[in-house]
Amino acid sequence: MRDHTGRCLAAYAINLGSCSITCAELRGAVEGLQLAWDTGFRCIRVELDSLCAVQLLRSLDSPDHQQAAIIQRFRELLTHQWEVVVSHIFREGNKCANHLASRGHLLPLGYHPNSYSDPILCNFIMYNCQGLSETPFGFE
């Protein structure tokens, strides 16, 4: 999570084991939204690089979808008193989230808060704050 200036406020990685990309995006969105609420943020932009996940979250009804429970949990979180905007972003547009998602595969199963001192994450944050979409060599 970053503020309007790009400063990192919180970070986490999750190892979900074997699941679909859509499931991973939805779970990440729910965990991030819960963390944002618990931390006290009340104006949130959720950016997902899975267009399918964005469409599922925006659809009016998806009770038969295999991810219906996680979609329902996301919608329950939206009922809190806050402003949440869900949008699609290309994966290249947020190297920070992509790095944390990749890192999750290397961790034990479950949720892992991440220190802001991860040197690769810090470089991605700095690069994103500069408005650059590509990262310097060595930080892919």
Side-chain angles (χ1 to χ4, degrees):
M1 283 190 279
R2 293 181 278 173
D3 67 11
H4 65 285
T5 67
R7 184 174 54 108
C8 187
L9 304 172
Y12 63 93
I14 305 171
N15 185 338
L16 299 172
S18 179
C19 69
S20 70
I21 292 170
T22 301
C23 174
E25 283 285 320
L26 294 170
R27 281 288 307 276
V30 166
E31 295 291 341
L33 214 52
Q34 185 66 59
L35 178 61
W37 178 260
D38 293 345
T39 308
F41 301 116
R42 298 300 180 255
C43 185
I44 306 297
R45 177 178 300 172
V46 178
E47 297 177 331
L48 304 173
D49 65 16
S50 167
L51 186 56
C52 177
V54 170
Q55 291 170 337
L56 283 168
L57 293 173
R58 288 182 178 167
S59 68
L60 296 177
D61 197 22
S62 50
D64 297 331
H65 193 276
Q66 61 186 357
Q67 302 301 327
I70 196 92
I71 294 166
Q72 180 60 34
R73 178 67 186 127
F74 187 89
R75 291 182 182 152
E76 288 170 7
L77 288 166
L78 292 180
T79 64
H80 293 324
Q81 296 297 312
W82 60 348
E83 180 183 339
V84 178
V85 175
V86 178
S87 61
H88 177 255
I89 184 172
F90 291 104
R91 189 172 110 180
E92 296 80 11
N94 192 347
K95 299 278 187 177
C96 300
N98 189 51
H99 169 70
L100 290 167
S102 297
R103 184 176 177 164
H105 294 290
L106 305 174
L107 299 170
L109 288 175
Y111 177 87
H112 303 275
N114 189 6
S115 163
Y116 311 141
S117 62
D118 175 340
I120 296 174
L121 181 61
C122 290
N123 279 308
F124 286 139
I125 291 169
M126 178 187 69
Y127 219 67
N128 284 159
C129 288
Q130 294 172 355
L132 303 170
S133 62
E134 296 298 319
T135 53
F137 180 76
F139 291 104
E140 287 297 332

